[in-house]
Amino acid sequence: MLKPRKTHHYIRQALKNDCLRAAVGKATDLAVRKRQDLVNETPYWEDLRHHVHHLKSKVLENPEQSLMTFEARCIANGINVHWAEDAAEARQIIVDLAAQKKVKKIVKSKSLTTEEIELNPALEKAGLETWETDLGEYIVQLEGKTPSHLTMPALHLSRYDIGRLFEKKLGIEYTDNPNELLQVARQRLREHFLSADMGISGVNFAAVEEGAFVVIENEANAHLSISIPKIHVAIMGLEKLIPSLSDLPYFLKVLAPSATGQKASSYVNIIGGPQQHLMEEGPEEVHLVILDNGRSNILADASLRETLFCIRCGACLNICPVFRQVGGHAYGWAYMGPIGATLIPLYNGLSEGRYAPFLSSLCGACFDNCPMRIQIPKHLLTLRNRIAESGKTMLIERVGMKIWSMLAVRPRLYRFITGLAAIVQQLIPFDKAFPAPGYVRHRALGRMDSKGFRSRFMDSEDRREGGR
Ligand code: SF4
């Protein structure tokens, strides 16, 4: 599994990989263009953004009350509700359930929460045959890696990579024809759907009023994972609540364009309990695992609770100049891109996630593209401050900032030192005139201005005074 503290290493690897950057650039360009076309066609887009933000604020204003009501309604509907305080407890609940029910094979539909809790390795360790059924997730599972995007898990691979992967792992003849590859995956997965004892999915939205949860998808694999096996287990972060199913259309209206540039998602599965009659479609048993894993602390933090409004659409990733250069694995965790950069330290702690909030140019494009109006740049700055205050930054940075703050309050000394540095720099006979570790591996910093900002500023003030 990737680790956020190894971010530097992952970034170096990503920057060396031109194929990865080409694949990421191509896919994100298309997603950005398609989203923008749909937003342009929707004159009330900004109103929608405000409205969904308001709905989420409302339901998470009193999370305990909302969760208690949701649980009670789920139980009344025949859904078995389990609470997991952390990732380990969530994994254990699912592994124990599978053991109790004598499950041998599991089919999974795409779920970032299961990536967050590292469920697959736990299921495999318990001897459970587990298959991802979303095409992108299936490819990533065959590759032995984790998703590199919130909505496009295999974004880092080209069709040639996938052709070689299928040849090696599935023993088929090499082809890079997307249709042929799709047919192979479909054939293999069909066998698994029909023989699985348990289905596992994530949850996109959980409606408090009705005690029902919603799974959104485009491939019908979630529908098959939910409806064919006798037992269904869904796992949701406790922030997935929405007030009611009557609010769902607003979220659907912003989700599909932001996620895949579609007007609407192909399938919206609403699960409000197990099948009631023998001839009905659906699982005989439904279990819902509600995961905390640090979310309560985030909800209690007034300045950062808004980060939990995320609906995992991926629009902020597609537009982010940093993500577009390095892809999702560089962030070292299940969530990536601008929203990942805020969630990584929040879920993993400031020490483990200390590099993530710095993976941003703070250009603000993520906020402009976020359908939930999450002020990501502001939250990144809050986290940067907290990391700096807790002393988790690099030693060289801490020493540098100490020296700078010492000089900044002594203007004469500051002018003397910077003037001296500019003179010394003029004498250094090479282009990389001000070597800084890491940074100049890819670019020169340029020479310091020998005259200095202050003298230029004073000159311009003098000129202005003279002109009056
Ligand atoms: S932060 Fe906003 S844009 Fe990014 S994934 Fe979440 S909802 Fe989408």
Side-chain angles (χ1 to χ4, degrees):
M1 191 66 187
L2 296 164
K3 294 286 168 215
R5 65 172 174 276
K6 293 177 80 181
T7 298
H8 283 146
H9 166 70
Y10 300 138
I11 289 177
R12 271 197 285 278
Q13 280 183 331
L15 288 173
K16 277 188 220 151
N17 189 341
D18 290 339
C19 297
L20 164 88
R21 289 158 70 200
V24 173
K26 196 171 157 197
T28 51
D29 273 348
L30 183 67
V32 167
R33 239 189 355 262
K34 284 166 71 183
R35 173 199 168 274
Q36 195 56 52
D37 289 346
L38 285 170
V39 169
N40 293 345
E41 279 174 26
T42 315
Y44 47 89
W45 182 257
E46 284 307 308
D47 297 338
L48 273 174
R49 287 178 79 208
H50 280 280
H51 188 60
V52 287
H53 186 98
H54 164 73
L55 288 170
K56 209 67 184 172
S57 311
K58 197 168 93 180
V59 78
L60 292 179
E61 207 165 42
N62 188 348
E64 272 169 39
Q65 181 59 49
S66 301
L67 283 164
M68 288 305 115
T69 311
F70 176 66
E71 182 193 29
R73 305 253 157 104
C74 282
I75 293 171
N77 288 340
I79 298 174
N80 301 285
V81 179
H82 310 259
W83 294 88
E85 201 174 320
D86 55 23
E89 195 176 353
R91 288 192 299 261
Q92 200 56 51
I93 290 169
I94 299 173
V95 168
D96 288 350
L97 253 175
Q100 246 175 49
K101 306 285 171 189
K102 303 201 176 2
V103 169
K104 289 199 170 58
K105 189 188 269 196
I106 296 174
V107 279
K108 273 185 77 220
S109 68
K110 189 171 166 309
S111 157
L112 288 158
T113 315
T114 62
E115 297 292 339
E116 176 190 327
I117 65 166
E118 299 180 24
L119 181 62
N120 284 14
L123 296 176
E124 277 153 27
K125 200 170 157 206
L128 295 155
E129 186 182 342
T130 306
W131 289 101
E132 292 290 347
T133 60
D134 170 273
L135 180 61
E137 290 275 351
Y138 179 63
I139 292 167
V140 166
Q141 185 184 25
L142 289 179
E143 197 195 7
K145 289 205 174 158
T146 52
S148 63
H149 190 281
L150 298 179
T151 57
M152 300 179 269
L155 177 82
H156 56 289
L157 298 174
S158 68
R159 63 191 164 108
Y160 311 105
D161 296 327
I162 297 167
R164 281 190 291 272
L165 183 70
F166 276 29
E167 182 186 24
K168 189 171 157 200
K169 297 283 175 159
L170 302 179
I172 61 158
E173 208 172 299
Y174 173 82
T175 171
D176 51 44
N177 180 318
N179 260 332
E180 287 173 17
L181 292 168
L182 178 65
Q183 290 314 322
V184 172
R186 180 178 268 176
Q187 198 91 42
R188 300 290 169 113
L189 288 173
R190 190 166 299 165
E191 294 159 18
H192 298 314
F193 284 126
L194 294 173
S195 52
D197 316 292
M198 178 186 270
I200 296 181
S201 74
V203 169
N204 291 92
F205 301 105
V208 174
E209 199 178 313
E210 293 81 2
F213 60 90
V214 181
V215 181
I216 295 167
E217 51 150 348
N218 282 317
E219 298 172 14
N221 65 301
H223 186 87
L224 294 173
S225 307
I226 294 166
S227 55
I228 298 180
K230 286 187 174 168
I231 306 160
H232 184 67
V233 181
I235 174 157
M236 61 173 261
L238 54 77
E239 80 284 13
K240 294 288 166 116
L241 301 178
I242 59 171
S244 146
L245 283 179
S246 61
D247 298 310
L248 182 62
Y250 299 108
F251 289 95
L252 296 181
K253 188 80 187 157
V254 293
L255 177 60
S258 306
T260 44
Q262 288 167 276
K263 264 194 174 152
S265 303
S266 306
Y267 301 92
V268 177
N269 305 285
I270 300 176
I271 297 100
Q275 60 167 249
Q276 302 286 328
H277 306 287
L278 200 59
M279 296 309 286
E280 271 185 354
E281 192 185 338
E284 291 169 18
E285 258 181 60
V286 178
H287 295 263
L288 178 63
V289 181
I290 303 179
L291 175 71
D292 187 327
N293 209 22
R295 287 161 171 84
S296 311
N297 293 337
I298 306 172
L299 281 174
D301 184 339
S303 53
L304 290 165
R305 71 202 304 252
E306 191 193 69
T307 54
L308 292 183
F309 292 10
C310 175
I311 54 172
R312 311 278 190 259
C313 70
C316 59
L317 280 60
N318 299 336
I319 200 75
C320 174
V322 175
F323 178 87
R324 289 161 64 96
Q325 287 303 314
V326 294
H329 290 147
Y331 293 78
W333 203 47
Y335 306 116
M336 62 289 287
I339 190 62
T342 65
L343 296 180
I344 287 169
L346 286 173
Y347 285 141
N348 294 275
L350 290 183
S351 180
E352 177 81 10
R354 61 193 177 277
Y355 301 127
F358 296 89
L359 298 178
S360 168
S361 65
L362 300 178
C363 65
C366 47
F367 169 66
D368 294 341
N369 276 248
C370 175
M372 297 304 298
R373 294 194 98 255
I374 300 171
Q375 298 187 53
I376 301 172
K378 187 177 127 196
H379 303 314
L380 290 173
L381 281 174
T382 303
L383 286 161
R384 287 183 188 188
N385 272 333
R386 289 187 187 176
I387 288 165
E389 274 165 13
S390 65
K392 303 277 192 261
T393 45
M394 283 186 290
L395 181 66
I396 188 166
E397 205 177 311
R398 289 203 300 277
V399 172
M401 291 311 281
K402 273 228 156 61
I403 294 173
W404 184 85
S405 59
M406 193 258 289
L407 292 175
V409 292
R410 294 174 178 82
R412 281 200 191 144
L413 187 60
Y414 185 87
R415 282 202 293 281
F416 173 71
I417 297 285
T418 48
L420 193 66
I423 293 166
V424 170
Q425 204 189 25
Q426 301 297 320
L427 303 175
I428 296 176
F430 56 83
D431 279 346
K432 290 173 182 174
F434 196 75
Y439 190 80
V440 288
R441 270 193 217 119
H442 304 287
R443 56 181 74 78
L445 267 181
R447 289 185 179 276
M448 286 173 76
D449 183 359
S450 59
K451 194 165 166 81
F453 170 76
R454 193 172 180 281
S455 333
R456 286 182 192 279
F457 182 73
M458 297 310 279
D459 285 355
S460 67
E461 282 293 290
D462 288 348
R463 270 202 302 281
R464 212 175 308 160
E465 290 286 322
R468 271 184 198 153

